[in-house]
Amino acid sequence: MSNEQLGTTRPLPPRLYKYQSLSPEVLLGLLDRSLWFSAPLDFNDPFDCRYRVVAEGPSRSQMTLERAKLKADELLEFPKTRSVACFSETPDNLLLWSHYAASHTGVCLEFDTKSAPFKDAQPVSYTDSFPTVDYPSLEAQTDDQLCDSLVLQKAESWSYELEWRIVRREAAHSEEYLPRALTGVYFGLAQPYRKRLSIAQLAMTRSSPELYEMKHDGSGFGIVREHVDLDGIKQMAEELEPRNTC
């Protein structure tokens, strides 16, 4: 089950986007320029990284068949031995802002895919068929090949995410990245300006990413980005959310 077999051969886009809430862990990662790799068992989709073994296909001998069965049992543990960082191709997906950025009160971070670890991202394949592994595949492919391919398959209903994943063959952990790899910070349209100001100042402590705020497109259910600068955010914060001096 290679990427070619899964139909996941689309080219890596120049930028990838990560929607996030404003949890303390996210803010610390922004300050440290670190990226969290989650355990598949913690994903919000109960079918993510799941599969079934199909006892079909010719086997060269009973011995290889027994080895394949043993390998299938061992693969049941693979979600514990992988960690994943997830991204999207776009920063203006209404549902992603709602689901992953705390109902548009969070942020979306933009990363340069020429930099590590973002250059390692692979596209997710969407399918209506539940992932299966047959005995010939178990015999022909290594555990790592099979596990990595299973991490890159999701149900068709998730296709709106346009997801890319960086997969690591180790348990959940964080990895640092070069400050310049963070090329943009997008503020949710429901985020208070005082918070935007704090996040912008935090993001600009080690580099100078572009700043954007999401706005209603003015005609339908869409959102669009609008470039802003630090002074503009300060001005809006003072005008719309003046400090209480009492």
Side-chain angles (χ1 to χ4, degrees), residues 74-107:
E74 293 173 349
L75 281 177
L76 292 174
E77 299 296 311
F78 97 85
K80 300 177 182 178
T81 66
R82 292 294 186 276
S83 54
V84 182
C86 305
F87 307 86
S88 176
E89 293 182 16
T90 174
D92 57 3
N93 187 297
L94 195 68
L95 291 177
L96 293 182
W97 275 105
S98 297
H99 296 163
Y100 299 106
S103 301
H104 299 258
T105 64
V107 295

Side-chain angles (χ1 to χ4, degrees), residues 1 47 49-54 127-133 149-150 153-155:
M1 289 183 294
F47 299 108
C49 298
R50 301 299 192 269
Y51 66 97
R52 64 188 179 94
V53 176
V54 180
T127 176
D128 286 324
S129 301
F130 196 75
T132 60
V133 178
S149 66
L150 290 168
Q153 295 184 74
K154 293 185 71 173

